[in-house]
């Protein structure tokens, strides 16, 4: 048996909220969706959301490279 914890699926409405946060961050930082920075931001947002951080303002602060 595997000892890794099971992740729950991110529901479509949750994914939409993550996408809105992602787009806000890209717009605020003037980044292209196809940049390496955008890829890092997307991965970080999903990891934070998966770890239980669901508040958009908190997600933005935790993803900000200056923090």
């Amino acid at each position: 048996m595997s000892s890794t914890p099971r992740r729950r699926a991110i529901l479509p409405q949750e994914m939409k909220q993550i996408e809105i946060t992602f787009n806000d961050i890209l717009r605020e930082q003037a980044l292209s969706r196809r940049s390496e920075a955008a890829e890092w931001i997307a991965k970080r947002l999903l990891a934070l959301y998966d770890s239980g951080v669901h508040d958009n303002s908190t997600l933005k602060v935790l993803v900000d490279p200056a923090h």
Side-chain angles (χ1 to χ4, degrees):
M1 279 227 142
S2 174
S3 63
T4 57
R6 288 183 164 263
R7 291 182 163 171
R8 74 167 187 82
I10 296 176
L11 300 174
Q13 65 269 26
E14 294 172 313
M15 196 63 207
K16 182 65 177 169
Q17 197 56 48
I18 294 168
E19 182 180 17
I20 290 168
T21 304
F22 175 71
N23 288 332
D24 286 349
I25 293 168
L26 294 185
R27 187 174 40 259
E28 290 166 7
Q29 296 185 13
L31 295 170
S32 165
R33 284 182 76 93
R34 296 186 180 202
S35 66
E36 286 184 33
E39 184 176 336
W40 180 88
I41 290 166
K43 288 177 184 179
R44 181 80 173 129
L45 280 172
L46 290 170
L48 287 166
Y49 197 91
D50 193 44
S51 73
V53 180
H54 297 171
D55 177 70
N56 290 335
S57 298
T58 305
L59 286 167
K60 284 183 180 182
V61 168
L62 293 175
V63 169
D64 186 346
H67 286 88

Coordinates of all heavy atoms in Angstrom, one line a residue:
M1 N 0.8 -1.2 0.0 CA 0.0 0.0 0.0 C 0.9 1.2 0.0 O 1.9 1.3 0.7 CB -0.9 0.0 1.3 CG -2.1 -0.8 1.2 SD -3.5 0.2 1.8 CE -4.7 -0.4 0.7
S2 N 0.4 2.2 -0.7 CA 1.1 3.5 -0.8 C 0.8 4.4 0.4 O -0.3 4.4 0.9 CB 0.7 4.2 -2.0 OG 1.3 5.5 -2.1
S3 N 1.8 5.1 0.9 CA 1.5 5.9 2.1 C 1.4 7.4 1.7 O 1.3 8.2 2.6 CB 2.7 5.8 3.1 OG 3.9 6.3 2.5
T4 N 1.3 7.7 0.4 CA 1.1 9.0 0.0 C -0.3 9.4 0.2 O -1.2 8.7 -0.1 CB 1.5 9.3 -1.5 OG1 0.8 8.4 -2.3 CG2 3.0 9.0 -1.7
P5 N -0.6 10.7 0.7 CA -2.0 11.1 0.9 C -2.7 11.3 -0.4 O -2.1 11.6 -1.4 CB -1.8 12.4 1.6 CG -0.4 12.9 1.4 CD 0.4 11.7 1.1
R6 N -4.0 11.0 -0.4 CA -4.8 11.2 -1.6 C -5.1 12.6 -1.8 O -5.5 13.3 -0.8 CB -6.1 10.4 -1.5 CG -5.9 8.9 -1.7 CD -7.2 8.2 -1.7 NE -7.1 6.9 -2.2 CZ -7.4 6.6 -3.5 NH1 -7.8 7.5 -4.3 NH2 -7.3 5.3 -3.9
R7 N -5.0 13.2 -2.9 CA -5.4 14.5 -3.2 C -6.9 14.5 -3.7 O -7.3 13.6 -4.4 CB -4.6 15.1 -4.3 CG -3.2 15.3 -3.9 CD -2.4 16.0 -5.1 NE -1.2 16.5 -4.6 CZ -0.3 17.0 -5.4 NH1 -0.4 16.9 -6.7 NH2 0.8 17.5 -4.9
R8 N -7.6 15.5 -3.3 CA -8.9 15.6 -3.8 C -8.9 16.4 -5.1 O -8.0 17.2 -5.3 CB -9.9 16.3 -2.8 CG -9.7 17.7 -2.6 CD -10.9 18.3 -1.8 NE -10.8 19.8 -1.8 CZ -11.2 20.6 -2.8 NH1 -11.8 20.1 -3.8 NH2 -11.2 21.9 -2.7
A9 N -9.8 16.1 -6.0 CA -9.9 16.8 -7.3 C -10.3 18.3 -7.1 O -11.0 18.6 -6.2 CB -10.9 16.2 -8.2
I10 N -9.7 19.2 -7.9 CA -10.1 20.5 -7.9 C -11.3 20.6 -8.8 O -11.3 20.3 -10.0 CB -9.0 21.5 -8.4 CG1 -7.8 21.4 -7.5 CG2 -9.5 22.9 -8.6 CD1 -6.6 22.2 -7.9
L11 N -12.4 21.1 -8.3 CA -13.7 21.2 -9.0 C -13.6 22.3 -10.0 O -12.8 23.3 -9.9 CB -14.8 21.4 -8.0 CG -15.0 20.3 -7.0 CD1 -16.1 20.8 -6.0 CD2 -15.3 19.0 -7.6
P12 N -14.5 22.2 -11.1 CA -14.4 23.2 -12.1 C -14.6 24.7 -11.6 O -13.9 25.6 -12.1 CB -15.6 22.8 -13.0 CG -15.7 21.4 -12.8 CD -15.4 21.1 -11.4
Q13 N -15.5 24.9 -10.7 CA -15.7 26.3 -10.2 C -14.4 26.7 -9.4 O -14.1 27.9 -9.4 CB -17.0 26.4 -9.4 CG -17.0 25.6 -8.1 CD -17.6 24.2 -8.2 OE1 -17.6 23.7 -9.3 NE2 -18.1 23.7 -7.2
E14 N -13.8 25.8 -8.8 CA -12.5 26.1 -8.0 C -11.4 26.5 -9.1 O -10.6 27.4 -8.9 CB -12.1 25.0 -7.1 CG -13.0 24.7 -6.0 CD -12.7 23.5 -5.2 OE1 -12.4 22.4 -5.9 OE2 -12.6 23.5 -4.0
M15 N -11.4 25.7 -10.1 CA -10.3 25.9 -11.2 C -10.6 27.3 -11.8 O -9.6 28.0 -12.1 CB -10.4 24.8 -12.2 CG -9.2 24.7 -13.1 SD -7.8 24.3 -12.1 CE -6.5 25.0 -13.1
K16 N -11.8 27.6 -12.0 CA -12.2 28.9 -12.6 C -11.6 30.1 -11.7 O -11.1 31.0 -12.2 CB -13.7 29.1 -12.8 CG -14.1 30.3 -13.4 CD -13.6 30.5 -14.8 CE -14.1 31.7 -15.5 NZ -13.4 32.0 -16.7
Q17 N -11.8 29.9 -10.4 CA -11.3 30.9 -9.4 C -9.8 31.0 -9.4 O -9.3 32.1 -9.4 CB -11.9 30.6 -8.0 CG -11.8 31.8 -7.1 CD -12.5 33.0 -7.6 OE1 -13.7 32.9 -8.1 NE2 -11.9 34.2 -7.6
I18 N -9.1 29.9 -9.5 CA -7.7 29.9 -9.6 C -7.3 30.6 -10.9 O -6.3 31.3 -10.9 CB -7.1 28.4 -9.6 CG1 -7.4 27.8 -8.2 CG2 -5.7 28.4 -9.9 CD1 -7.2 26.3 -8.1
E19 N -8.0 30.3 -12.0 CA -7.6 31.0 -13.3 C -7.8 32.5 -13.2 O -7.0 33.2 -13.7 CB -8.5 30.4 -14.4 CG -8.2 31.0 -15.7 CD -9.1 30.5 -16.9 OE1 -10.1 29.9 -16.6 OE2 -8.7 30.7 -18.0
I20 N -8.8 32.9 -12.5 CA -9.0 34.4 -12.3 C -7.9 35.0 -11.6 O -7.3 36.0 -11.9 CB -10.4 34.6 -11.6 CG1 -11.6 34.3 -12.6 CG2 -10.5 36.1 -11.1 CD1 -12.9 34.3 -11.9
T21 N -7.5 34.3 -10.5 CA -6.3 34.8 -9.7 C -5.1 34.8 -10.5 O -4.3 35.7 -10.5 CB -6.1 33.9 -8.5 OG1 -7.4 33.9 -7.7 CG2 -5.0 34.4 -7.6
F22 N -4.8 33.7 -11.3 CA -3.7 33.6 -12.2 C -3.7 34.8 -13.2 O -2.6 35.4 -13.4 CB -3.8 32.2 -12.9 CG -2.7 32.0 -14.0 CD1 -1.4 31.8 -13.6 CD2 -3.1 32.0 -15.3 CE1 -0.4 31.6 -14.6 CE2 -2.1 31.8 -16.3 CZ -0.8 31.6 -15.9
N23 N -4.8 35.0 -13.8 CA -4.9 36.1 -14.8 C -4.6 37.5 -14.2 O -4.0 38.3 -14.7 CB -6.2 36.1 -15.5 CG -6.3 34.9 -16.5 OD1 -5.3 34.5 -17.0 ND2 -7.5 34.5 -16.7
D24 N -5.2 37.7 -12.9 CA -4.9 38.9 -12.2 C -3.4 39.1 -12.0 O -2.9 40.2 -12.2 CB -5.7 38.9 -10.9 CG -7.2 39.1 -11.0 OD1 -7.7 39.4 -12.1 OD2 -7.8 38.9 -10.0
I25 N -2.8 38.1 -11.5 CA -1.3 38.2 -11.2 C -0.6 38.5 -12.5 O 0.3 39.4 -12.5 CB -0.8 36.9 -10.6 CG1 -1.4 36.7 -9.2 CG2 0.7 36.9 -10.5 CD1 -1.2 35.3 -8.6
L26 N -0.9 37.8 -13.6 CA -0.2 38.0 -14.8 C -0.4 39.5 -15.3 O 0.6 40.1 -15.7 CB -0.6 37.1 -15.9 CG -0.3 35.6 -15.7 CD1 -0.7 34.8 -17.0 CD2 1.2 35.4 -15.5
R27 N -1.6 40.0 -15.2 CA -1.9 41.4 -15.6 C -1.1 42.4 -14.7 O -0.5 43.3 -15.2 CB -3.4 41.6 -15.5 CG -3.8 42.9 -16.0 CD -5.4 43.1 -16.1 NE -6.1 42.6 -15.0 CZ -6.8 41.4 -15.0 NH1 -6.8 40.6 -16.0 NH2 -7.4 41.0 -13.9
E28 N -1.2 42.1 -13.4 CA -0.5 43.0 -12.4 C 1.0 43.1 -12.7 O 1.7 44.1 -12.4 CB -0.8 42.6 -11.0 CG -2.2 42.9 -10.6 CD -2.6 42.2 -9.3 OE1 -1.8 41.6 -8.6 OE2 -3.8 42.2 -9.0
Q29 N 1.6 41.9 -13.1 CA 3.0 41.8 -13.3 C 3.4 42.0 -14.7 O 4.6 41.8 -15.1 CB 3.6 40.5 -12.7 CG 3.4 40.4 -11.2 CD 4.0 39.2 -10.6 OE1 4.8 38.5 -11.2 NE2 3.6 38.9 -9.4
A30 N 2.5 42.2 -15.6 CA 2.7 42.4 -17.0 C 3.5 41.2 -17.6 O 4.5 41.4 -18.3 CB 3.4 43.7 -17.3
L31 N 3.0 40.0 -17.3 CA 3.6 38.8 -17.8 C 2.8 38.1 -18.9 O 1.6 38.2 -18.9 CB 3.8 37.8 -16.6 CG 4.8 38.2 -15.5 CD1 4.6 37.3 -14.4 CD2 6.2 38.3 -16.0
S32 N 3.5 37.5 -19.8 CA 2.8 36.7 -20.8 C 2.4 35.3 -20.2 O 3.1 34.8 -19.4 CB 3.8 36.4 -22.0 OG 3.3 35.4 -22.8
R33 N 1.3 34.8 -20.7 CA 0.9 33.4 -20.2 C 1.9 32.4 -20.6 O 1.9 31.3 -20.0 CB -0.5 33.1 -20.9 CG -1.7 33.8 -20.3 CD -2.9 33.3 -20.9 NE -3.4 32.0 -20.5 CZ -4.2 31.8 -19.5 NH1 -4.7 32.8 -18.8 NH2 -4.5 30.5 -19.2
R34 N 2.7 32.6 -21.6 CA 3.6 31.6 -22.1 C 5.0 31.8 -21.6 O 6.0 31.2 -22.1 CB 3.6 31.7 -23.6 CG 2.2 31.2 -24.2 CD 2.2 31.1 -25.6 NE 0.8 30.7 -26.0 CZ 0.5 30.1 -27.1 NH1 1.4 29.8 -28.0 NH2 -0.7 29.8 -27.3
S35 N 5.2 32.6 -20.6 CA 6.5 32.8 -20.0 C 6.8 31.8 -18.9 O 5.9 31.1 -18.4 CB 6.6 34.2 -19.4 OG 5.7 34.3 -18.3
E36 N 8.1 31.6 -18.6 CA 8.5 30.7 -17.6 C 8.0 31.2 -16.2 O 7.6 30.3 -15.4 CB 10.0 30.6 -17.5 CG 10.6 29.8 -18.7 CD 12.1 29.6 -18.5 OE1 12.6 29.6 -17.4 OE2 12.8 29.6 -19.6
A37 N 7.9 32.5 -16.0 CA 7.4 33.0 -14.8 C 5.9 32.6 -14.6 O 5.5 32.3 -13.5 CB 7.5 34.5 -14.8
A38 N 5.1 32.7 -15.7 CA 3.7 32.3 -15.7 C 3.6 30.8 -15.3 O 2.7 30.5 -14.6 CB 3.0 32.7 -17.0
E39 N 4.4 30.0 -15.9 CA 4.4 28.6 -15.6 C 4.6 28.3 -14.1 O 3.9 27.6 -13.5 CB 5.4 27.8 -16.4 CG 5.3 26.3 -16.3 CD 6.3 25.6 -17.2 OE1 6.6 26.1 -18.2 OE2 6.6 24.4 -16.8
W40 N 5.6 29.0 -13.6 CA 6.0 28.9 -12.1 C 4.8 29.4 -11.3 O 4.4 28.7 -10.3 CB 7.2 29.7 -11.8 CG 7.5 29.6 -10.3 CD1 8.3 28.7 -9.8 CD2 7.1 30.5 -9.3 NE1 8.4 28.9 -8.4 CE2 7.7 30.0 -8.1 CE3 6.3 31.6 -9.2 CZ2 7.4 30.6 -6.9 CZ3 6.1 32.2 -8.0 CH2 6.6 31.7 -6.8
I41 N 4.2 30.5 -11.7 CA 3.0 31.0 -10.9 C 1.9 30.0 -10.9 O 1.2 29.8 -9.9 CB 2.6 32.4 -11.5 CG1 3.6 33.4 -11.2 CG2 1.2 32.8 -11.0 CD1 3.5 34.7 -12.0
A42 N 1.6 29.4 -12.1 CA 0.5 28.5 -12.2 C 0.8 27.2 -11.3 O -0.1 26.8 -10.5 CB 0.3 28.0 -13.6
K43 N 2.0 26.7 -11.3 CA 2.3 25.6 -10.5 C 2.2 25.9 -9.0 O 1.7 25.2 -8.2 CB 3.7 25.1 -10.8 CG 3.9 24.4 -12.1 CD 5.3 24.0 -12.4 CE 5.5 23.4 -13.7 NZ 6.8 23.0 -14.0
R44 N 2.7 27.1 -8.6 CA 2.6 27.6 -7.3 C 1.2 27.8 -6.8 O 0.8 27.4 -5.7 CB 3.4 28.9 -7.1 CG 3.5 29.5 -5.7 CD 4.5 28.8 -4.9 NE 4.6 29.5 -3.6 CZ 4.6 28.9 -2.4 NH1 4.5 27.6 -2.3 NH2 4.6 29.6 -1.4
L45 N 0.3 28.4 -7.6 CA -1.1 28.5 -7.3 C -1.7 27.2 -7.0 O -2.5 27.0 -6.0 CB -1.8 29.3 -8.4 CG -1.7 30.8 -8.5 CD1 -2.3 31.3 -9.7 CD2 -2.3 31.4 -7.2
L46 N -1.5 26.2 -7.9 CA -2.1 24.9 -7.7 C -1.6 24.2 -6.5 O -2.4 23.6 -5.7 CB -1.9 24.1 -9.0 CG -2.7 24.5 -10.2 CD1 -2.2 23.8 -11.4 CD2 -4.2 24.4 -10.0
A47 N -0.3 24.3 -6.2 CA 0.2 23.7 -5.0 C -0.3 24.3 -3.7 O -0.7 23.6 -2.8 CB 1.8 23.8 -5.0
L48 N -0.4 25.7 -3.7 CA -1.0 26.4 -2.6 C -2.4 26.0 -2.4 O -2.9 25.7 -1.3 CB -0.8 27.9 -2.7 CG 0.6 28.4 -2.6 CD1 0.7 29.9 -3.1 CD2 1.0 28.3 -1.1
Y49 N -3.2 26.0 -3.5 CA -4.6 25.6 -3.4 C -4.8 24.2 -2.8 O -5.6 23.9 -2.0 CB -5.3 25.8 -4.7 CG -6.8 25.8 -4.6 CD1 -7.4 27.1 -4.5 CD2 -7.6 24.7 -4.6 CE1 -8.8 27.1 -4.4 CE2 -8.9 24.7 -4.5 CZ -9.5 26.0 -4.4 OH -10.9 26.0 -4.2
D50 N -4.0 23.3 -3.4 CA -4.0 21.9 -2.9 C -3.6 21.8 -1.5 O -4.1 20.9 -0.8 CB -3.0 21.1 -3.8 CG -3.3 19.6 -3.6 OD1 -4.4 19.2 -3.6 OD2 -2.2 18.9 -3.5
S51 N -2.8 22.7 -1.0 CA -2.4 22.6 0.4 C -3.4 23.2 1.4 O -3.3 23.2 2.6 CB -1.0 23.3 0.7 OG -1.2 24.7 0.6
G52 N -4.5 23.8 0.8 CA -5.6 24.4 1.6 C -5.7 25.9 1.6 O -6.6 26.4 2.2
V53 N -4.9 26.6 0.9 CA -5.0 28.0 0.7 C -6.0 28.3 -0.4 O -5.7 28.1 -1.5 CB -3.7 28.7 0.4 CG1 -3.8 30.2 0.3 CG2 -2.6 28.3 1.5
H54 N -7.2 28.8 0.0 CA -8.2 29.0 -1.0 C -8.6 30.5 -1.2 O -9.4 30.8 -2.1 CB -9.5 28.2 -0.7 CG -9.2 26.8 -0.7 ND1 -10.1 25.8 -0.3 CD2 -8.1 26.0 -1.1 CE1 -9.7 24.6 -0.4 NE2 -8.4 24.7 -0.9
D55 N -8.1 31.4 -0.3 CA -8.4 32.8 -0.4 C -7.6 33.5 -1.5 O -6.4 33.4 -1.5 CB -8.2 33.5 1.0 CG -8.4 34.9 0.9 OD1 -9.6 35.3 0.8 OD2 -7.4 35.7 1.0
N56 N -8.3 34.1 -2.4 CA -7.6 34.7 -3.6 C -6.5 35.8 -3.1 O -5.4 35.8 -3.7 CB -8.6 35.4 -4.5 CG -9.4 34.4 -5.3 OD1 -8.9 33.2 -5.4 ND2 -10.6 34.7 -5.7
S57 N -6.8 36.6 -2.2 CA -5.9 37.6 -1.7 C -4.7 37.0 -1.1 O -3.5 37.4 -1.4 CB -6.5 38.5 -0.7 OG -7.6 39.2 -1.3
T58 N -4.9 35.9 -0.3 CA -3.7 35.2 0.3 C -2.9 34.5 -0.8 O -1.7 34.5 -0.8 CB -4.3 34.2 1.3 OG1 -5.1 34.9 2.3 CG2 -3.1 33.5 2.0
L59 N -3.6 33.9 -1.8 CA -2.9 33.3 -2.9 C -2.0 34.3 -3.6 O -0.8 34.0 -3.9 CB -3.8 32.6 -3.9 CG -4.5 31.3 -3.4 CD1 -5.7 31.0 -4.3 CD2 -3.5 30.2 -3.3
K60 N -2.5 35.4 -3.9 CA -1.7 36.5 -4.6 C -0.5 36.9 -3.8 O 0.6 37.0 -4.3 CB -2.6 37.7 -4.8 CG -3.5 37.5 -6.0 CD -4.3 38.8 -6.2 CE -5.3 38.7 -7.3 NZ -5.9 40.0 -7.6
V61 N -0.6 37.0 -2.5 CA 0.5 37.4 -1.6 C 1.6 36.3 -1.6 O 2.7 36.6 -1.8 CB 0.0 37.8 -0.2 CG1 1.2 37.9 0.7 CG2 -0.8 39.0 -0.2
L62 N 1.1 35.1 -1.5 CA 2.1 33.9 -1.4 C 2.7 33.6 -2.7 O 3.8 33.1 -2.7 CB 1.3 32.7 -0.9 CG 0.8 32.8 0.6 CD1 0.0 31.6 1.0 CD2 2.0 33.0 1.5
V63 N 2.1 34.0 -3.8 CA 2.7 33.8 -5.1 C 3.7 34.9 -5.5 O 4.6 34.7 -6.4 CB 1.6 33.5 -6.2 CG1 2.2 33.6 -7.6 CG2 0.9 32.2 -5.9
D64 N 3.5 36.1 -4.9 CA 4.3 37.2 -5.3 C 5.8 36.9 -5.0 O 6.2 36.6 -3.9 CB 3.9 38.5 -4.4 CG 4.6 39.7 -4.8 OD1 5.6 39.7 -5.6 OD2 4.1 40.8 -4.4
P65 N 6.6 37.0 -6.1 CA 8.1 36.7 -5.9 C 8.8 37.6 -4.9 O 9.8 37.2 -4.4 CB 8.6 36.9 -7.3 CG 7.5 37.0 -8.2 CD 6.3 37.4 -7.4
A66 N 8.2 38.8 -4.6 CA 8.9 39.7 -3.7 C 8.7 39.2 -2.2 O 9.4 39.7 -1.3 CB 8.3 41.1 -3.8
H67 N 7.8 38.3 -2.0 CA 7.6 37.8 -0.6 C 8.3 36.5 -0.3 O 8.6 35.7 -1.1 CB 6.1 37.5 -0.4 CG 5.3 38.8 -0.3 ND1 4.8 39.4 -1.3 CD2 4.9 39.5 0.8 CE1 4.2 40.5 -0.9 NE2 4.2 40.6 0.4

